[in-house]
């Protein structure tokens, strides 16, 4: 067995490694927010952020990064199909594919060199890799998976982790219903950069301000949005942010020139937090990070052209909260904004809803929960993963499942944390080798001359680490009222 990348000693302070993937800007923005939160913690001695795609081959990086947006632009129906196909929990099981494994070698080298005591993943690619390293005994760090959209997707579920952070309570309830233990899942929100101190809104006699965003890369769709606002009847001002697309900025400047000083057109700007504080309505796509930043600023959204899959679901959630409206065609954008601004009290109600939805402290909460949480990981056996997938496809919850495929939790007697989720059928073998007089188990290395199954070896290796034994108690999930604690 290879030696772990580090011991568990943290006397010199925590060493936090944040792993992201540059598919769009949101995952890296969440990583940057987590780094910022690390910088203000006295117990963090060192922190490093690594974009795993930047350490990969150019071909791998282009296929995963640029290729995704090519599909979004040209075959959005395929993107939606792919999202739906990969949505069920644990549909993808087993080892990492060979191509990804080869491209992950530099990341593994970086992890070993840094010797982290904690690893936080803001993309599912490094999350899957880190789970594999945990199960193979390569690392001994606390690990967290941090979802960056409001709707949780099954790709983010791995076979081993210490903590899983979702953006909203409904996602936590959904995962608990499938059998994932509540002590390992938290609805923390999406990590965003520290917010500015609340500043007074503009003078009451000033017209409403629109913040129109083309995204970091500058989507050409912004031209249609701006063109429609020229036909609005309600007084307003607008700031248009064109990202890094210089040609787009020039086109929009020409388009709005006849409107005088009503429009302010910017390229990529670090002023977005301030602009969000001053604006009354945000017009743009509902990416997980941009939506979270708007909610934290109390800024309601007018949603245009969401990417199929996660952005559509983000938008659904925001509209459900009363913090957004959606335009399904560019031809009605001006009319839609007019409707919001002209109805008495509507804008104020949407601003209040946005403020209620915002989670400005998500990054700090993620770190506090991970670093102060369980020291042993949760291991979900492959058989248990099959049960969870089957439950989702049959639309039943874990407590409805009986027989050999029902789920059982193994709980650390001392710490009280769940360390494993296995099928009832697997429990028999565990009881033969590790059974204790109190109907629990005592997990230990080399339990008997009989060779344990591979899954047992993975479990023992991941949860015991340097300990000789670990007493655990058994909790069966069959029966009502056990899976979604208050």
């Amino acid at each position: 067995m290879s030696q772990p990348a580090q011991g568990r000693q943290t006397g010199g302070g925590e060493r936090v490694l944040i792993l992201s993937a540059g598919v769009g800007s949101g995952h890296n923005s969440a990583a940057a927010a987590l780094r910022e939160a690390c910088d203000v913690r006295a117990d963090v001695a060192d922190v490093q952020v690594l974009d795993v795609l930047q350490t990969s081959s150019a071909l791998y990086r282009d296929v995963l990064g640029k290729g995704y947006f090519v599909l979004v632009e040209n075959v959005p129906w395929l993107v939606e199909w792919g999202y739906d196909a990969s949505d069920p929990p644990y549909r993808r099981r087993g080892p990492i594919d060979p191509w990804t494994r080869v491209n992950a070698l530099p990341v593994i080298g970086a992890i070993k060199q840094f010797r982290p005591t904690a690893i936080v993943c803001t993309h599912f690619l490094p999350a899957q890799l880190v789970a594999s390293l945990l199960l193979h005994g390569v690392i001994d760090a606390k690990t967290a998976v941090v979802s960056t959209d409001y709707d949780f997707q099954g790709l983010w579920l791995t076979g081993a982790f210490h903590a899983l952070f979702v953006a909203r309570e409904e996602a936590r309830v959904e995962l608990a219903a499938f059998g994932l233990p509540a002590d390992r899942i938290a609805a923390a929100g999406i990590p965003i950069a520290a917010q500015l101190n609340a500043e007074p809104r503009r003078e009451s006699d000033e017209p409403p301000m629109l913040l129109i965003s083309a995204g970091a890369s500058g989507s050409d769709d912004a031209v249609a949005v701006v063109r429609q606002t020229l036909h609005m009847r309600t007084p307003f001002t607008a700031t248009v942010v064109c990202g890094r697309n210089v040609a787009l900025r020039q086109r929009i400047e020409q388009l709005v020139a006849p409107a005088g000083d009503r429009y302010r057109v910017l390229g990529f700007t670090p002023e977005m937090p301030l602009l969000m504080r001053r604006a009354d309505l945000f017009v743009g796509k509902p990416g997980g990070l941009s939506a979270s930043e708007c909610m934290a600023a109390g800024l309601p959204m007018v949603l245009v052209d969401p990417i199929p899959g996660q952005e559509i679901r983000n938008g659904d959630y925001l509209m459900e909260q009363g913090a957004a409206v959606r335009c399904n065609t560019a031809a009605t954008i001006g009319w839609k904004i007019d409707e919001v601004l002209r109805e008495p009290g509507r804008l104020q109600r949407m601003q209040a809803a946005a403020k209620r939805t915002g989670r400005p402290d998500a990054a700090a909460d993620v770190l506090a929960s991970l670093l102060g949480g369980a020291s042993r990981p949760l291991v979900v056996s492959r058989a248990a993963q099959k049960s969870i997938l089957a439950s989702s496809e049959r639309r039943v919850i874990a407590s409805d499942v009986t027989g050999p495929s029902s789920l059982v939790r193994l709980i650390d007697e001392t710490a009280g944390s769940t360390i494993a989720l296995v099928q009832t059928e697997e429990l028999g073998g565990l009881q033969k080798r590790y059974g204790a007089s109190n109907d629990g188990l005592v997990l230990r290395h080399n339990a008997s001359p009989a060779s344990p199954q591979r899954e047992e070896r993975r479990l023992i290796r991941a949860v015991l680490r340097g300990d000789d034994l670990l007493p655990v108690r058994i909790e069966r999930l069959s029966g009502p009222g056990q899976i979604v604690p208050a």
Side-chain angles (χ1 to χ4, degrees):
M1 181 190 304
S2 60
Q3 293 298 312
Q6 51 86 39
R8 284 293 304 152
Q9 297 84 2
T10 60
E14 301 284 356
R15 298 176 58 81
V16 181
L17 179 62
I18 304 167
L19 299 179
S20 182
V23 182
S25 61
H27 304 288
N28 284 344
S29 294
L34 287 162
R35 173 167 192 153
E36 185 181 69
C38 284
D39 290 341
V40 300
R41 288 186 63 104
D43 57 346
V44 175
D46 200 1
V47 58
Q48 185 178 104
V49 177
L50 179 64
D51 181 339
V52 299
L53 291 188
Q54 293 304 313
T55 68
S56 305
S57 68
L59 178 60
Y60 187 81
R61 184 164 58 249
D62 287 347
V63 168
L64 270 68
K66 297 179 182 178
Y68 171 73
F69 291 101
V70 170
L71 295 177
V72 168
E73 182 71 24
N74 296 288
V75 280
W77 62 266
L78 184 60
V79 174
E80 185 171 21
W81 174 86
Y83 185 92
D84 292 339
S86 58
D87 192 30
Y90 292 120
R91 172 160 286 179
R92 174 182 173 178
R93 297 185 303 277
I96 297 172
D97 65 85
W99 193 33
T100 298
R101 184 173 295 278
V102 168
N103 280 277
L105 291 176
V107 180
I108 297 173
I111 292 173
K112 290 180 177 180
Q113 183 177 12
F114 185 69
R115 297 177 295 107
T117 61
I119 301 175
V120 186
C121 300
T122 63
H123 191 278
F124 60 80
L125 278 177
Q128 297 289 349
L129 171 64
V130 166
S132 177
L133 297 180
L134 268 177
L135 292 170
H136 285 86
V138 177
I139 60 173
D140 182 19
K142 290 184 177 181
T143 63
V145 182
V146 182
S147 175
T148 55
D149 284 296
Y150 284 110
D151 207 65
F152 186 80
Q153 189 189 28
L155 276 175
W156 291 77
L157 272 176
T158 70
F161 55 86
H162 288 73
L164 175 61
F165 296 98
V166 295
R168 57 171 170 149
E169 182 66 11
E170 185 174 347
R172 188 202 67 80
V173 172
E174 176 188 7
L175 293 174
F178 290 144
L180 276 296
D183 61 305
R184 298 294 188 153
I185 310 167
I190 299 172
I192 59 173
Q195 297 294 289
L196 300 173
N197 292 330
E199 295 187 8
R201 293 281 179 180
R202 299 178 324 285
E203 296 298 327
S204 58
D205 58 345
E206 293 185 41
M209 174 182 159
L210 309 180
L211 179 57
I212 303 173
S213 173
S217 59
S219 170
D220 288 342
D221 296 337
V223 175
V225 173
V226 173
R227 180 178 289 115
Q228 290 304 313
T229 61
L230 289 168
H231 301 292
M232 288 175 52
R233 293 173 293 173
T234 308
F236 72 95
T237 61
T239 298
V240 186
V241 181
C242 300
R244 296 182 175 89
N245 192 332
V246 176
L248 174 66
R249 179 179 180 179
Q250 293 171 346
R251 290 174 61 193
I252 291 180
E253 285 175 339
Q254 293 174 359
L255 178 64
V256 302
D261 59 359
R262 171 174 283 190
Y263 291 86
R264 178 188 180 201
V265 184
L266 304 174
F268 185 83
T269 174
E271 293 183 12
M272 283 300 286
L274 177 60
L275 293 174
M276 286 183 172
R277 288 289 177 186
R278 292 184 57 81
D280 294 287
L281 268 179
F282 178 96
V283 185
K285 293 177 180 291
L289 267 292
S290 58
S292 296
E293 289 165 350
C294 285
M295 297 303 102
L299 178 61
M301 304 179 73
V302 178
L303 311 178
V304 295
D305 225 17
I307 293 175
Q310 68 271 24
E311 287 193 354
I312 287 179
R313 296 194 186 191
N314 287 342
D316 289 343
Y317 172 68
L318 297 175
M319 290 188 291
E320 180 182 299
Q321 299 306 304
V325 295
R326 184 165 70 206
C327 299
N328 293 322
T329 173
T332 64
I333 290 171
W335 174 84
K336 200 94 170 190
I337 298 172
D338 264 331
E339 288 292 294
V340 171
L341 297 181
R342 294 171 65 187
E343 181 179 327
R346 185 175 183 183
L347 179 61
Q348 290 71 30
R349 291 193 298 272
M350 291 179 66
Q351 289 171 339
K355 197 69 176 176
R356 288 194 303 270
T357 306
R359 300 291 294 273
D361 299 322
D365 291 344
V366 164
L367 286 173
S369 181
L370 174 65
L371 298 180
S375 60
R376 302 182 196 274
L378 168 73
V379 175
V380 184
S381 74
R382 288 178 180 165
Q385 293 175 30
K386 292 180 182 179
S387 289
I388 292 171
L389 175 61
S391 293
S392 72
E393 291 176 336
R394 292 169 51 201
R395 301 183 181 182
V396 298
I397 61 176
S399 62
D400 290 339
V401 180
T402 59
S405 63
S406 61
L407 295 175
V408 176
R409 291 179 185 151
L410 305 183
I411 299 173
D412 183 338
E413 281 278 19
T414 302
S417 57
T418 310
I419 56 147
L421 193 61
V422 301
Q423 271 190 357
T424 295
E425 190 171 34
E426 295 177 285
L427 185 60
L430 292 170
Q431 288 174 319
K432 287 179 182 179
R433 271 183 281 273
Y434 309 105
S437 58
N438 63 349
D439 293 327
L441 304 173
V442 179
L443 302 180
R444 55 193 181 276
H445 294 289
N446 302 318
S448 72
S451 176
Q453 297 296 315
R454 181 182 180 188
E455 283 294 295
E456 285 186 27
R457 294 199 302 271
R458 284 155 48 97
L459 168 63
I460 297 299
R461 185 166 51 205
V463 302
L464 247 61
R465 312 310 286 164
D467 295 332
D468 294 326
L469 53 84
L470 176 65
V472 302
R473 61 183 172 87
I474 298 168
E475 180 182 278
R476 300 177 187 273
L477 271 65
S478 298
Q482 296 185 31
I483 61 173
V484 189

